[in-house]
């Protein structure tokens, strides 16, 4: 049997919108999953959403939809966050999934049959946010309710799980397995909690109060308590995908959780499992709290860090991948940490551009000029400096393995970055750019490039769990991704690989432009790299500009500035787009007109109407709008000579801010070069210098 690694994140409450806290646990899970896959282990990575309970029922009512309609829509936001962050989860479990529901009922029935559950009257203070009652000891020890908590005094008959009877067994589990709860100060916290008598756990809600839940199989008038339902996701999640015939993934290797849900995971959960005769998870890792600019995040302060915003803002500097790297680099697992733009900038400039990006571009340049882009072979005998670098790479790999075993991800990254610095020092001391000038030292040059390339390959493999897409791209530039399965041993990079030179993979970030001069001053300011006009990965190429013909048009029902256009985009199909041009263009006047469409924008809803793209227009100094009039066939795309076209999906609008389109001589230009559609220029009546966006 291969080594197996099964990692979980908490399942997120659907009522919340995804923020940096959710992103962090998810990325941590993903990094651990990818790391173990790299080591050749069999991996299952589970994440998902927690969808039952009173708050969801209330929110659905407010939104005027059924709870199921509501959770279908809101849980999608978390799947979208997963796509943004490139999570490699094997399942996205929802507590409304039928297999989960029936498993929860099986476990409840089993506990009922064993006499582990009883019915009793209960009166107490109910915390609506956490969907739980405060126990007497909580209140005695000042653990609640806090000043802003919504609590209700509730008296009702309910079902209880005999949690208290497992107190001794749980204490023993903690004492005998010192690594079961990490970090150790969290273990101490739980042991402290267990010094007080442990009560029983209320596991039901009467349907008269809460209907949006899983019915108790032995009393249909009740639904189960949210935590009882939610925690069992960890067992049910991987059941449909067993690792091998007749085997199970459970028990989990590690549950990743935030510090606020420590008690539910290390007291409620293990006692429930003990009661049901199911093995316990092997480890529980509680991480700290993210703040924003040193302050607690809250909706009322408006400082909640949104992963979609961060990715869009830094789209040209690694975007979501740089954010992943930042999250893992900046938080010491277990402790609190703080997000700031200055922190992101530091990571992008120092770690990514200066350290990693620099090595990559130095080596690529030297291999391109000195060896026609073909990597020379790694010599069997290495000179002093080269063997030192090899030894450093080997020791870093060993140290990273140690740190990752202890989940010390930021330490592992620090260690990894020390390899980056060592490669840069090696390049500085051996100075291949000087060796290249002396034909007599060609062998030395070959050795330096081969050794630094191999060290770089090891570095990239170590970084691949953090930035999987960027690193795949870097390895492709070094001749192919097959270097990855070669993994972490030294000396695997085959010679003769064709390196590609080109634009930097990790560009440096310039200070933000003055927002007053930005084309869209109302929007989230974006940071700029001022890319040169002609280069293969100019951001212009990421945009899928298409000629579109208006089939029909009507006024937007809820926004007086908008028209809703139905467009024919040739091979790219039919599109509906909202355009803010109604102050100057009537719906009728639009029919039959050709326009320039940004066809690969992320879909948006504008006042309830879906918009699948954006129409380009220029505005003059008086603020009048001038539509662009391309002549090509619908579906033909716009290009600029010398710039590669490489549009992806779901483009974020900020990409359009990374360059400026303007009007010159009645035509659309990019940095003075004409933009062509169907081989001809794109006409516009705006005066020279007007910006098109
Ligand atoms: N649904 C429960 C978990 C059930 S698991 C069987 C829940 N959901 S939650 O959406 O409120 O929180 C999910 C996770 O996000 C928790 O681990 C919580 O600690 C984490 N975070 C919420 N805010 C956070 C920060 N500001 N920083 C870091 N993590 C934070 O609890």
């Amino acid at each position: 049997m291969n080594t197996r690694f099964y990692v979980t994140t908490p399942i997120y409450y659907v009522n919340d919108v995804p923020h940096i806290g959710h992103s962090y646990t998810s990325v941590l899970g993903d990094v651990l999953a990818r790391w173990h896959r790299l080591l050749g282990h069999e991996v299952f990575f589970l994440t998902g959403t927690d969808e039952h309970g009173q708050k969801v029922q209330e929110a659905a009512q407010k939104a005027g939809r059924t709870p199921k309609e509501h959770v279908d829509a809101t849980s999608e936001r978390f799947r979208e966050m997963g796509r943004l962050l490139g999570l490699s989860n094997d399942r996205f479990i929802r507590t409304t999934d039928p297999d989960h529901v029936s498993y929860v009922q099986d476990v409840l029935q089993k506990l009922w049959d064993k006499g582990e559950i009883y019915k009793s009257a209960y009166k107490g203070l109910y915390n609506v946010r956490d969907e739980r009652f405060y126990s007497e000891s909580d209140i005695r020890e000042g653990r609640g309710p806090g000043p802003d908590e919504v609590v209700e005094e509730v008296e009702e008959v309910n079902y209880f799980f005999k949690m208290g009877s497992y107190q001794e067994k749980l204490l023993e589990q903690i004492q005998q397995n010192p690594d079961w709860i990490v970090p150790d100060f969290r273990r101490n916290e739980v042991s402290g909690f267990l010094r007080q008598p442990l009560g029983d756990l209320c596991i039901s809600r009467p349907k008269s109060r809460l209907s949006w839940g899983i019915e108790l199989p032995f009393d249909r008038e009740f639904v189960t308590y949210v935590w009882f339902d939610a925690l069992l996701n960890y067992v049910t999640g991987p059941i449909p995908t067993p690792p091998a015939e007749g085997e199970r993934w459970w028990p989990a290797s590690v549950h990743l959780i935030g510090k606020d849900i420590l008690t539910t995971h290390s007291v409620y959960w293990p006692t429930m499992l003990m009661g049901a005769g199911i093995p316990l998870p092997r480890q529980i890792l509680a991480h700290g709290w993210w703040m924003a600019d040193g302050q607690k995040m809250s909706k009322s302060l408006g400082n909640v860090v949104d992963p979609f915003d961060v990715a869009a803002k830094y789209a040209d500097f690694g975007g979501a991948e740089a954010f992943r790297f930042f999250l893992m680099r900046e938080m010491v697992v277990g402790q609190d940490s703080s997000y700031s733009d200055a922190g992101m900038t530091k990571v992008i400039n120092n770690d990514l551009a200066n350290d990693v990006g620099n090595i990559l571009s130095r080596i690529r340049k030297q291999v391109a000029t000195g060896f026609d882009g073909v990597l020379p072979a790694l010599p069997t005998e290495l000179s002093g400096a080269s063997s030192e670098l090899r030894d450093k790479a080997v020791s870093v790999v060993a140290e990273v393995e140690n740190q990752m075993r202890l989940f010390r991800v930021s330490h592992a990254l620090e260690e990894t970055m020390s390899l980056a610095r060592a490669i840069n020092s090696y390049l500085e001391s051996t100075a291949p750019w000087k060796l290249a000038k002396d034909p007599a030292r060609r062998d030395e040059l070959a050795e330096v490039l081969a050794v630094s390339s191999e060290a770089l390959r090891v570095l990239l493999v170590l970084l691949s769990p953090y930035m999987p897409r960027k690193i795949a791209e870097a390895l492709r530039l070094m001749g192919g991704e097959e270097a990855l399965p070669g993994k972490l041993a030294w000396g695997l990079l085959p010679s003769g690989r064709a390196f590609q030179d080109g634009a930097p993979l990790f560009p440096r970030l310039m200070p933000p432009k003055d927002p007053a001069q930005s084309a869209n001053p109302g929007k989230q300011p974006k940071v700029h790299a001022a890319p040169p006009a002609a280069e293969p990965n100019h951001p212009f190429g990421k945009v899928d500009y298409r000629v579109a013909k208006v089939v029909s048009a009507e006024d937007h029902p809820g926004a007086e500035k908008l028209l809703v256009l139905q467009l024919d985009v040739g091979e790219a199909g039919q599109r509906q787009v909202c355009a803010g041009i109604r102050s100057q263009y009537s719906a009728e006047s639009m029919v039959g007109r050709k326009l320039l469409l940004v066809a690969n924008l992320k879909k948006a809803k504008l006042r309830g109407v879906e918009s699948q793209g954006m129409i380009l227009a220029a505005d003059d100094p008086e603020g009048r709008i001038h539509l662009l009039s391309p002549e090509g066939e619908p579906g033909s795309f716009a290009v600029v000579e010398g710039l590669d076209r490489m549009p992806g999906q779901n483009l974020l609008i900020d990409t359009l801010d990374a360059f400026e389109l303007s009007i010159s001589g009645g035509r659309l230009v990019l940095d003075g070069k004409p933009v062509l559609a169907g081989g001809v220029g794109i006409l516009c009546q705006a005066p020279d210098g007007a910006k098109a966006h």
Side-chain angles (χ1 to χ4, degrees):
M1 186 185 82
N2 272 339
T3 308
R4 283 189 190 143
F5 182 73
Y6 169 27
V7 58
T8 66
T9 74
I11 47 173
Y12 306 116
Y13 284 134
V14 281
N15 269 7
D16 210 351
V17 275
H19 60 58
I20 187 173
H22 309 120
S23 302
Y24 176 73
T25 330
S26 295
V27 171
L28 181 60
D30 193 57
V31 164
L32 292 173
R34 287 177 189 270
W35 170 253
H36 281 266
R37 287 193 201 108
L38 200 62
L39 296 181
H41 300 164
E42 275 186 277
V43 172
F44 197 93
F45 171 29
L46 182 70
T47 188
T49 42
D50 191 352
E51 306 189 353
H52 290 123
Q54 193 165 324
K55 275 175 298 171
V56 175
Q57 188 174 307
E58 283 164 7
Q61 241 157 26
K62 247 193 214 158
R65 40 190 184 191
T66 66
K68 183 66 168 79
E69 284 166 354
H70 182 70
V71 297
D72 282 350
T74 47
S75 87
E76 180 56 27
R77 301 190 290 224
F78 286 92
R79 279 192 294 274
E80 211 170 311
M81 175 185 83
R83 289 190 287 271
L84 174 83
L85 297 173
L87 301 185
S88 61
N89 49 300
D90 296 282
R91 178 172 179 185
F92 186 96
I93 192 170
R94 303 179 52 190
T95 50
T96 49
D97 287 341
D99 64 331
H100 172 76
V101 171
S102 79
Y103 187 80
V104 170
Q105 290 182 323
D106 287 352
V107 173
L108 284 165
Q109 188 66 50
K110 195 164 160 190
L111 288 169
W112 177 250
D113 294 343
K114 283 175 74 185
E116 297 283 346
I117 291 175
Y118 62 91
K119 195 174 186 181
S120 165
Y122 185 82
K123 182 174 172 181
L125 276 185
Y126 187 68
N127 178 328
V128 179
R129 153 75 179 80
D130 288 348
E131 316 241 18
R132 70 183 189 98
F133 281 102
Y134 281 102
S135 68
E136 273 175 34
S137 61
D138 281 338
I139 291 163
R140 217 176 24 242
E141 285 162 29
R143 268 198 296 269
D148 1 292
E149 276 169 288
V150 187
V151 283
E152 287 167 14
E153 194 174 52
V154 171
E155 179 172 10
E156 63 194 20
V157 171
N158 264 314
Y159 286 88
F160 290 80
F161 164 60
K162 294 180 180 165
M163 180 162 78
S165 64
Y166 292 97
Q167 179 160 13
E168 279 311 307
K169 210 171 155 195
L170 182 57
L171 264 171
E172 229 169 76
Q173 160 72 17
I174 294 172
Q175 277 152 9
Q176 287 173 3
N177 301 280
D179 297 334
W180 188 54
I181 301 172
V182 274
D184 51 7
F185 60 93
R186 296 286 173 215
R187 179 188 68 231
N188 298 340
E189 208 176 297
V190 179
S191 310
F193 177 78
L194 288 172
R195 265 182 230 115
Q196 303 294 329
L198 183 64
D200 289 344
L201 183 66
C202 178
I203 63 154
S204 69
R205 298 288 176 266
K207 265 196 187 166
S208 53
R209 183 150 74 84
L210 170 70
S211 57
W212 182 236
I214 299 178
E215 272 179 1
L216 298 187
F218 43 85
D219 187 342
R220 302 281 170 183
E221 289 310 306
F222 287 80
V223 296
T224 191
Y225 162 69
V226 276
W227 280 100
F228 205 94
D229 159 12
L231 287 160
L232 277 165
N233 93 85
Y234 299 138
V235 180
T236 53
I239 288 178
T241 346
E245 179 90 18
E247 291 184 26
R248 287 171 152 245
W249 283 100
W250 185 261
S253 312
V254 62
H255 288 319
L256 307 177
I257 58 166
K259 60 184 180 181
D260 58 322
I261 51 176
L262 181 64
T263 310
T264 47
H265 280 76
S266 48
V267 180
Y268 296 8
W269 181 223
T271 54
M272 278 166 57
L273 291 168
M274 286 170 180
I278 302 172
L280 303 189
R282 295 198 203 291
Q283 282 187 295
I284 299 166
L285 174 74
H287 65 72
W289 216 241
W290 277 96
M291 294 178 289
D293 292 312
Q295 271 191 311
K296 201 176 163 191
M297 291 190 308
S298 78
K299 278 190 199 139
S300 51
L301 285 175
N303 65 347
V304 177
V305 180
D306 174 339
F308 293 95
D309 285 352
V310 177
K313 185 165 184 180
Y314 297 97
D316 295 332
F317 307 92
E321 298 254 304
F323 184 50
R324 288 173 59 110
F325 183 89
F326 169 88
L327 291 172
M328 296 299 108
R329 178 107 167 101
E330 291 297 292
M331 180 172 264
V332 176
V333 176
Q335 292 173 22
D336 292 348
S337 195
S338 182
Y339 175 87
S340 67
D341 283 329
M344 263 302 275
T345 307
K346 188 190 82 190
V347 160
I348 288 173
N349 281 344
N350 297 357
D351 290 339
L352 301 186
N354 279 4
D355 289 350
V356 184
N358 204 10
I359 306 171
L360 193 61
S361 51
R362 278 170 158 179
I363 296 180
R364 279 161 68 202
K365 186 179 257 152
Q366 294 303 324
V367 174
T369 52
F371 294 85
D372 291 330
V374 179
L375 177 69
L378 197 61
T380 28
E381 288 287 309
L382 296 184
S383 69
S386 299
S387 62
E388 268 175 39
L389 183 61
R390 177 202 53 208
D391 295 348
K392 170 74 182 170
V394 171
S395 79
V396 165
V397 168
E399 191 49 31
V400 167
E401 282 178 339
N402 279 336
Q403 299 290 357
M404 291 302 271
R405 212 170 292 126
L406 302 169
F407 307 114
R408 290 158 55 111
V409 175
S410 63
H411 291 84
L413 260 185
E414 178 51 36
E415 198 52 51
T416 302
M417 293 314 294
S418 79
L419 176 58
R421 292 191 292 272
I423 303 172
N424 270 318
S425 312
Y426 172 80
L427 288 172
E428 264 142 41
S429 64
T430 54
W433 41 93
K434 283 190 196 150
L435 297 176
K437 291 187 185 135
D438 184 351
R441 302 182 75 184
R442 194 166 166 77
D443 285 354
E444 270 176 80
L445 175 64
E447 173 175 337
V448 166
L449 294 178
V451 168
S452 54
S453 295
E454 174 56 4
L456 171 60
R457 184 195 66 83
V458 173
L459 172 71
L460 294 174
V461 174
L462 287 172
L463 288 172
S464 63
Y466 303 87
M467 296 180 288
R469 297 171 192 155
K470 275 278 178 191
I471 298 301
E473 172 68 8
L475 289 166
R476 196 181 60 72
L477 295 171
M478 290 176 71
E481 263 184 79
E482 69 276 10
L484 245 184
K487 311 279 161 63
L488 294 160
W490 176 265
L492 292 167
L493 187 64
S495 61
R497 295 161 66 87
F499 276 30
Q500 293 173 33
D501 201 5
L505 199 60
F506 294 106
R508 253 186 94 79
L509 197 148
M510 303 296 173
K513 248 192 353 192
D514 177 359
Q517 291 171 16
S518 150
N520 290 292
K523 273 200 326 229
Q524 161 93 318
K526 182 178 179 300
V527 281
H528 289 260
E535 62 177 33
N537 64 353
H538 189 288
F540 175 85
K542 293 184 191 162
V543 186
D544 192 12
Y545 292 107
R546 299 277 188 156
V547 176
K549 191 169 175 183
V550 181
V551 181
S552 65
E554 57 184 290
D555 291 348
H556 187 293
E560 59 184 24
K561 291 197 176 137
L562 297 181
L563 288 180
V564 184
L565 309 174
Q566 304 299 331
L567 302 174
D568 169 12
V569 202
E571 55 161 51
Q574 292 270 336
R575 294 294 177 92
Q576 169 172 298
V577 168
C578 297
I581 53 176
R582 192 159 142 199
S583 57
Q584 271 175 247
Y585 296 88
S586 68
E588 306 79 70
S589 73
M590 291 303 293
V591 180
R593 246 191 119 117
K594 280 190 201 160
L595 301 164
L596 193 60
L597 167 76
V598 177
N600 62 337
L601 266 193
K602 203 164 164 275
K603 281 185 201 162
K605 269 214 166 140
L606 301 183
R607 295 272 181 93
V609 176
E610 186 165 282
S611 185
Q612 305 155 330
M614 188 183 104
I615 294 299
L616 247 72
D619 45 18
D620 64 20
E622 277 81 47
R624 282 165 14 123
I625 307 165
H626 301 267
L627 288 169
L628 296 166
S629 304
E631 295 182 279
E633 281 307 299
S636 45
F637 37 77
V639 290
V640 170
E641 203 196 5
L643 301 191
D644 282 355
R645 220 181 93 79
M646 43 177 183
Q649 294 291 314
N650 290 329
L651 190 77
L652 296 164
I653 197 150
D654 295 68
T655 308
L656 302 174
D657 284 354
F659 55 91
E660 235 165 39
L661 291 172
S662 58
I663 306 302
S664 172
R667 288 191 162 65
L668 184 67
V669 295
L670 170 70
D671 296 333
K673 287 190 151 204
V675 182
L676 308 174
V680 290
I682 298 171
L683 301 176
C684 181
Q685 289 178 350
D688 275 7
K691 305 283 174 257
H693 42 77

